Amino acid sequence: MAQTHFGYENVDESEKAGRVRRVFDSVASRYDLMNDLMSMGLHRVWKHYTVTVANVREGERVLDIAGGTGDLARAFAKKVGPRGTVVLSDINQAMLGAGRDRLLDAGVVLPTVACDAEKLPFADASFDLVSVAFGLRNMTHKEAALAEMCRVLRPGGRLLVLEFSKVAAPLAKPYDWYSFNVIPLIGRLVAKDADSYRYLAESIRMHPDQNALKAMMKGAGFGHVDVHNLAAGVVALHAGIKC
Ligand SMILES: C[S@@+](CC[C@H](N)C(=O)[O-])C[C@H]1O[C@@H](n2cnc3c(N)ncnc32)[C@H](O)[C@@H]1O
């Protein structure tokens, strides 16, 4: 059986999705509060930047993958207007349920689809833009997921991958200290789950860095890929064009 990593642990590939599901089942109800606390609100700035770069126009068709509680989907829905479509998707029912409730509370009704990014249930070339924020890191076969994202985009369509990445060297030590001490502590106090937040810190270290992810996107069929470092590389936005 092929092996992969779940944080710093080596696991059978067949185990990873179940372990990831348990993480998000456990944190779904506290997910938004935890994001604000851990990032000191910065995740809102990173997502706002992503929506700006996306430059979505009225009438466009957008798919938000691993959309969780729906921050990006909600912002895109405003941009595409009533003639456009935004689909909120995620593999996890608890996250998707929290997202759908939150959107409904805000008066936003979007199609919501439970699906695995590695096997998307959409026809070829059905979207103008696909986004995935802080989701790719959790997927078992990242190349397969990126190839699926490429398949469902029309030629010339854009993929935006917002994800933790490799921080600039001078910040590495304080960032490690914060990640392995403060984040699991906040997780224990607020979400009653330190382990899931230790997994978060470990999974960030195991994720491909800026150049490796750019190469993976090119390999998946994105002819042009731009990389935008945010917060000194704590996070990077990869913007690819299917061409
Ligand atoms: C850290 S959350 C990100 C949620 C949201 N995009 C955001 O930025 O706040 C990661 C999400 O990825 C989802 N996910 C993990 N593996 C997935 C897969 N194979 N296909 C689709 N979604 C997946 C999880 O269920 C979870 O909701």
Side-chain angles (χ1 to χ4, degrees):
M1 180 68 73
Q3 296 273 298
T4 188
H5 41 78
F6 175 78
Y8 287 165
E9 248 183 276
N10 278 326
V11 297
D12 281 350
E13 279 191 348
S14 61
E15 264 183 54
K16 177 160 172 168
R19 302 273 300 260
V20 169
R21 179 170 49 73
R22 287 195 284 281
V23 165
F24 289 102
D25 281 347
S26 160
V27 304
S29 62
R30 290 288 171 144
Y31 179 80
D32 293 315
L33 175 62
M34 281 299 297
N35 265 359
D36 278 333
L37 292 174
M38 284 183 311
S39 74
M40 294 172 265
L42 274 175
H43 76 104
R44 294 169 184 262
V45 178
W46 299 328
K47 287 170 180 163
H48 181 75
Y49 183 79
T50 302
V51 173
T52 305
V53 170
N55 193 24
V56 167
R57 292 177 287 275
E58 252 190 84
E60 284 198 315
R61 300 155 302 167
V62 176
L63 171 64
D64 186 32
I65 292 178
T69 55
D71 283 343
L72 282 186
R74 181 175 171 184
F76 288 138
K78 275 196 199 146
K79 304 273 178 192
V80 301
R83 288 191 306 110
T85 315
V86 177
V87 178
L88 171 65
S89 72
D90 198 288
I91 200 170
N92 186 291
Q93 296 280 359
M95 290 293 284
L96 211 47
R100 196 194 40 220
D101 290 351
R102 203 168 151 233
L103 290 172
L104 285 174
D105 287 347
V108 181
V109 181
L110 299 181
T112 304
V113 178
C115 62
D116 184 346
E118 297 180 21
K119 291 178 223 107
L120 290 172
F122 303 104
D124 296 359
S126 5
F127 295 98
D128 301 295
L129 183 124
V130 170
S131 58
V132 54
F134 305 110
L136 187 67
R137 196 183 66 248
N138 300 296
M139 294 172 194
T140 308
H141 305 101
K142 295 174 185 47
E143 283 93 348
L146 290 170
E148 276 293 86
M149 296 175 203
C150 192
R151 179 184 67 74
V152 301
L153 276 170
R154 66 162 168 81
R158 300 95 79 200
L159 170 65
L160 292 177
V161 183
L162 181 66
E163 189 52 271
F164 293 104
S165 202
K166 184 143 176 103
V167 72
L171 291 183
K173 275 201 173 154
Y175 180 58
D176 279 352
W177 180 83
Y178 181 78
S179 305
F180 288 102
N181 294 286
V182 179
I183 288 183
L185 178 66
I186 303 175
R188 181 161 66 77
L189 296 176
V190 177
K192 313 284 175 235
D193 180 355
D195 287 348
S196 291
Y197 286 92
R198 199 165 298 112
Y199 160 74
L200 166 70
E202 291 179 3
S203 67
I204 291 170
R205 271 71 188 175
M206 301 308 287
H207 188 65
D209 67 11
Q210 286 87 339
N211 286 336
L213 179 54
K214 180 175 179 171
M216 278 170 86
M217 287 175 66
K218 288 202 155 193
F222 294 92
H224 181 85
V225 180
D226 280 330
V227 183
H228 308 229
N229 276 311
L230 304 174
V234 168
V235 164
L237 174 65
H238 285 66
I241 299 189
K242 177 176 176 176
C243 52

